[in-house]
Amino acid sequence: MVVSSSDNKSLVPGRRRTIIFGSSVAVLASLLNLHNPNSNPPLLHSAVAQQQDEQQQEEDRVTHLFQEASPSVVFIKDIELAKVPNGREDQFMLTEDENAKVEGTGSGFIWDKFGHIVTNYHVVAKLATDRSGLQRCKVYLVDAGGNSLCREGKIIGFDPSYDLAILKVDVEGYELKPATLGTSKELHVGQSCFAIGNPYGYENTLTTGVVSGLGREIPSPNGRGISGAIQTDADINAGNSGGPLIDSYGHVIGVNTATFTRKGKICFSVLLFLLHSPF
């Protein structure tokens, strides 16, 4: 059979369309296969599995970090005792029942096995300056065995210039787990940090973040400036104050406090090297 030149020309475009269409089908099939979770190439499946494993390891590490550090963190409650008539005119007795007024909450951490607690001065300022004898400080903590304790905290030292205070609780007969102390001297912006405290009365809350800045100056309760503070984006709210800021190894690197500026809230930690132990 002889095909004329005109017939030959009419066949060529159809053949090109078939080839192009066939290539498009191949590309489309490849894309569909790529998005099919049951047909992932071995290398891609391995990369996804490795990423999930690394994420799980990081979550396990943070969980372990919290479990190890949280028994060293305490919950502090400031209360004002009520005056109740004692039966005679102008004579009263003090009571700690439901008539006692809760004036604020805060955090702290166990410094040593003898029951010394580190916190912010502003957490216990009312007790430190009390002249009425009505102020009390309750410290809620756990011992090394996980037993819950509630003890009255006595102030044995404070320095408003650094917003730091030391409490002492009676823990005779109990073994405590002191916080592991670190150093603030070799911190770097960007490294991970973690805050444990009791924001708004919610005990043992963990927030995570990074060191956002170093060498900051923040106001102290007596109006002076505290230099060398750590700035962090780990969320620190009312009730977190006095709790520890820890590094990735669970070492305490600062004492948390929250400062409000005209631009909003910025979270800081007072450096530990400012703390001079009186005992």
Side-chain angles (χ1 to χ4, degrees), residues 231-249:
Q231 180 184 343
T232 176
D233 67 346
D235 201 15
I236 299 173
N237 296 298
N240 270 117
S241 291
L245 185 71
I246 62 178
D247 61 17
S248 297
Y249 301 98

Side-chain angles (χ1 to χ4, degrees), residues 45-83:
H45 180 76
S46 177
V48 171
Q50 182 178 357
Q51 183 179 14
Q52 291 175 343
D53 185 57
E54 291 176 352
Q55 182 178 0
Q56 185 62 52
Q57 290 181 8
E58 176 62 18
E59 290 179 354
D60 291 344
R61 185 183 69 84
V62 175
T63 299
H64 178 73
L65 186 71
F66 174 76
Q67 291 173 343
E68 287 294 310
S70 59
S72 303
V73 181
V74 307
F75 178 38
I76 298 174
K77 183 184 292 186
D78 291 320
I79 62 175
E80 181 180 358
L81 302 184
K83 282 186 175 182

Side-chain angles (χ1 to χ4, degrees), residues 51-245:
Q51 183 179 14
Q52 291 175 343
D53 185 57
E54 291 176 352
Q55 182 178 0
Q56 185 62 52
Q57 290 181 8
E58 176 62 18
E59 290 179 354
D60 291 344
R61 185 183 69 84
V62 175
T63 299
H64 178 73
L65 186 71
F66 174 76
Q67 291 173 343
E68 287 294 310
S70 59
S72 303
V73 181
V74 307
F75 178 38
I76 298 174
K77 183 184 292 186
D78 291 320
I79 62 175
E80 181 180 358
L81 302 184
K83 282 186 175 182
V84 179
N86 198 24
R88 295 183 181 180
E89 188 177 357
D90 298 330
Q91 290 191 3
F92 298 86
M93 63 179 181
L94 303 180
T95 177
E96 296 187 29
D97 60 12
E98 65 275 3
N99 294 317
K101 176 184 177 183
V102 178
E103 295 196 323
T105 60
S107 305
F109 58 91
I110 301 171
W111 179 266
D112 59 23
K113 63 181 180 180
F114 303 108
H116 292 104
I117 307 295
V118 175
T119 186
N120 280 144
Y121 168 78
H122 75 261
V123 172
V124 293
K126 289 187 177 180
L127 178 61
T129 57
D130 179 40
R131 296 294 181 268
S132 66
L134 298 177
Q135 298 296 325
R136 294 292 187 273
C137 175
K138 291 295 184 181
V139 179
Y140 299 83
L141 66 160
V142 296
D143 67 3
N147 301 302
S148 297
L149 307 174
C150 177
R151 296 290 186 269
E152 183 173 348
K154 303 290 187 180
I155 290 185
I156 65 169
F158 58 87
D159 191 340
S161 298
Y162 292 140
D163 197 13
L164 292 172
I166 307 292
L167 298 175
K168 177 70 168 61
V169 295
D170 180 11
V171 290
E172 184 177 357
Y174 294 91
E175 182 181 356
L176 299 183
K177 184 179 181 181
T180 302
L181 303 181
T183 176
S184 308
K185 295 181 180 179
E186 298 180 357
L187 295 178
H188 301 284
V189 173
Q191 75 177 73
S192 298
C193 59
F194 308 86
I196 302 178
N198 308 285
Y200 304 109
Y202 293 103
E203 297 183 51
N204 285 337
T205 298
L206 172 72
T207 55
T208 66
V210 298
V211 174
S212 305
L214 296 168
R216 305 306 196 203
E217 181 171 312
I218 59 176
S220 67
N222 63 3
R224 298 182 180 180
I226 303 174
S227 60
I230 305 167
Q231 180 184 343
T232 176
D233 67 346
D235 201 15
I236 299 173
N237 296 298
N240 270 117
S241 291
L245 185 71

